[in-house]
Amino acid sequence: MALHFEQDEYAGRLDKLTASMKAEKLDAMLLFSQESMYWLTGYDTFGFCFFQCLVVKADGTMTLLTRSADLRQARHTSNIERIVVWTDRTNADPALDLKNLLSDLDLLGERVGVEYDTHGLTGANCRKLDNQLQNFAELVDASYLVSRLRLIKSPAEIAYVRRAAELADAALDAALPLIKPGADEADILAAMQAAVFSGGGDYPANEFIIGSGEDALLCRYKAGRRKLDASDQLTLEWAGVYAHYHAAMMRTVILGEPTPRHVELYEACREALDSITEILKPGTTFGDVFDAHAEVMDNRGLTRHRLNACGYSLGARFTPSWMEHQMFHAGNPLEIAPNMTLFVHMIIMDSEAGAAMTLGQTYLTTEDGPESLSAKPLGLIIASQ
C-alpha cells in the first residue's frame, strides 16, 4: 500500500475519532470529505467528485462505498479493508446503496454524524442522502468533527509541512530571476510550479494566483496571461505541496520605482503581520488574530481596501481549495494551540489608486510563539531591472 504514514499513526487517528464520536454520542460517521478519508486511512483520489462515503462505526470498523474506478485506488493507497462498489447506471441513486450498506451494518435507527460541509457532497447528492436516510437514522451535522482533529499536526505531519515550505521557497527562488520588464506571466508560473514538481511535490489544491497590472488586485486565479511592463506590480500566491500538505506564501513584487502608495501599503502589511506574530500563540483566538489585523488597517484608513479575513489553517487538502474551515475572521472563538500550521496573509487592494500589496507566510504554532516555516525575508520585493 502507498501509505505516507506508519500504521501506528493511522491507528492513533482512528482512536481520536472514535473518542470524539463517543463524546458526541454518535454510533457512526459518514465521511464525505476527501481530506477526512486521507487523514484517517491514506485514501488518495480525486474520485470524490462522484458519490462516495467512508462509513466509520463507533467500534472503529470502516467500510468505503465508492465507484468501480476507485476500487483499486482505495486498495493501493489506503488501509481500508472493506470496500463496496455502487454501480454506475442510468438514474442511479447511490444514496440507496448507502442506506442498504448502513442496514447491513446494523445502523437502522442509530445516531449518525454526517459531513455535510464538504465539496465531496454536492447539493444533488445531499438531497438524495437526506431523502433516503431521513426515516432510517437520526442524522447529525458533524461536518467539523474530523476537521477539528486535523488542526493539530503530528510530528510526521509537521515534517511534511516543513518540506512543503521548502518547496514554496524554491518556487519563489525560481520566479524572482524571471520577473523583469517584458517577462511573460506564463514563464513565471511555469517555473514556480516546476520547482514544486521537481522537488517531489504535488499539485496544489487550488491554482497558484498570478496577476500583474490591474490583475494584481485579484485574489483568485483567472485564465489569461500578460507580459510585464517596466513599471508594474505582480501579485503571487502559491504553495509548496508535499504529500498533499500545503505551506502557502503571498507576495506583491514591484517592477520599477515603487510608488509612495505601494510603500505605504507595504508598511501597513508589515505592521499588521508583525502585530499578529506577537500574539499567534496558545490562548489567542482566531478572532483575536483578525482583530489585530483589522486594527492596524483601520487605524491607517484602509478599512475599505482590506479583506474580512486574514488567513486560515492549512494541512492536507484536495481540490478545489487549500483553505481549511478554520479562518481568521471577526468573532471566531477557536483558540490557537501548539502544532497548528496557519497561513497569515495581509491583502490590500486599492482599486482607486490601482495599487496592490500583499504579504503572506505559513507559521507553525508553538508554546512560545509562531515559527515561520519559510526562510524568506518579509521585506518589500523590488524586481531587479
Side-chain angles (χ1 to χ4, degrees):
M1 292 180 290
L3 296 173
H4 296 288
F5 299 95
E6 298 295 330
Q7 288 290 359
D8 287 349
E9 174 111 357
Y10 289 112
R13 295 174 185 179
L14 181 57
D15 287 343
K16 290 178 182 177
L17 174 56
T18 54
S20 295
M21 290 169 62
K22 182 179 180 180
E24 298 293 330
K25 297 180 172 57
L26 296 175
D27 299 297
M29 276 288 295
L30 305 185
L31 303 185
F32 290 95
S33 165
Q34 186 59 45
E35 291 82 6
S36 296
M37 299 184 204
Y38 179 76
W39 177 81
L40 187 62
T41 72
Y43 181 36
D44 191 349
T45 182
F46 63 72
F48 62 91
C49 58
F50 299 97
F51 189 100
Q52 68 173 3
C53 179
L54 180 64
V55 183
V56 183
K57 294 185 66 175
D59 62 6
T61 57
M62 296 184 289
T63 306
L64 176 67
L65 177 68
T66 190
R67 298 169 67 245
S68 58
D70 279 297
L71 173 62
R72 291 160 187 82
Q73 193 90 6
R75 286 175 175 169
H76 185 63
T77 66
S78 81
N79 60 16
I80 303 170
E81 294 184 357
R82 187 185 182 197
I83 303 170
V84 177
V85 172
W86 66 270
T87 303
D88 294 283
R89 58 196 183 276
T90 302
N91 298 321
D93 184 355
L96 176 58
D97 295 84
L98 178 59
K99 182 171 75 171
N100 292 335
L101 172 59
L102 298 180
S103 181
D104 292 342
L105 295 173
D106 295 324
L107 290 170
L108 176 64
E110 299 290 79
R111 181 175 163 87
V112 178
V114 182
E115 285 189 323
Y116 282 110
D117 190 2
T118 171
H119 300 101
L121 184 62
T122 65
N125 283 334
C126 184
R127 293 184 66 179
K128 292 177 181 178
L129 178 78
D130 286 345
N131 181 59
Q132 290 291 346
L133 298 184
Q134 61 182 343
N135 295 320
F136 178 88
E138 178 189 356
L139 300 184
V140 178
D141 187 345
S143 297
Y144 311 117
L145 194 148
V146 178
S147 180
R148 288 194 297 268
L149 295 176
R150 294 178 53 248
L151 264 172
I152 309 299
K153 306 302 189 293
S154 70
E157 289 180 294
I158 291 171
Y160 285 149
V161 176
R162 289 189 185 280
R163 179 56 185 153
E166 292 173 352
L167 295 176
D169 283 353
L172 182 59
D173 287 338
L176 289 178
L178 303 179
I179 301 175
K180 60 185 68 174
D184 195 315
E185 290 179 357
D187 294 330
I188 298 168
L189 185 61
M192 297 181 76
Q193 189 65 83
V196 176
F197 285 147
S198 64
D202 301 307
Y203 284 107
N206 58 255
E207 300 88 345
F208 288 2
I209 296 167
I210 182 168
S212 59
E214 292 183 3
D215 293 344
L217 279 73
L218 302 181
C219 294
R220 298 286 183 260
Y221 171 86
K222 58 173 283 295
R225 305 283 175 262
R226 69 181 291 272
K227 293 185 178 180
L228 305 181
D229 295 328
S231 295
D232 215 328
Q233 55 186 352
L234 176 68
T235 293
L236 300 169
E237 184 178 14
W238 72 102
V241 192
Y242 194 78
H244 291 293
Y245 285 84
H246 290 69
M249 296 177 67
M250 196 169 192
R251 297 288 191 276
T252 297
V253 181
I254 303 301
L255 288 82
E257 188 70 22
T259 67
R261 187 57 168 168
H262 278 125
V263 173
E264 180 183 3
L265 297 183
Y266 166 75
E267 290 175 349
C269 286
R270 184 60 185 270
E271 181 185 350
L273 189 61
D274 288 345
S275 178
I276 286 172
T277 54
E278 290 180 3
I279 64 171
L280 198 69
K281 53 189 175 183
T284 301
T285 69
F286 276 51
D288 293 335
V289 171
F290 174 79
D291 291 344
H293 149 266
E295 181 178 7
V296 172
M297 297 298 180
D298 297 350
N299 287 343
R300 286 174 169 265
L302 297 171
T303 304
R304 67 185 185 279
H305 304 305
R306 65 165 171 83
L307 302 186
N308 293 320
C310 64
Y312 39 84
S313 173
L314 283 174
R317 290 288 291 176
F318 288 75
T319 306
S321 175
W322 66 51
M323 298 168 60
E324 296 277 14
H325 289 129
Q326 301 83 11
M327 298 185 68
F328 299 128
H329 57 64
N332 188 341
L334 180 68
E335 286 196 5
I336 291 171
N339 299 325
M340 291 181 175
T341 50
L342 306 176
F343 178 46
V344 182
H345 61 62
M346 304 296 105
I347 301 175
I348 310 175
M349 302 304 186
D350 184 348
S351 297
E352 297 164 10
M357 186 53 59
T358 65
L359 190 61
Q361 206 96 320
T362 299
Y363 295 90
L364 174 68
T365 58
T366 73
E367 288 287 359
D368 299 325
E371 174 194 346
S372 173
L373 293 175
S374 170
K376 298 302 178 184
L378 292 169
L380 176 61
I381 301 177
I382 302 174
S384 57
Q385 301 298 304

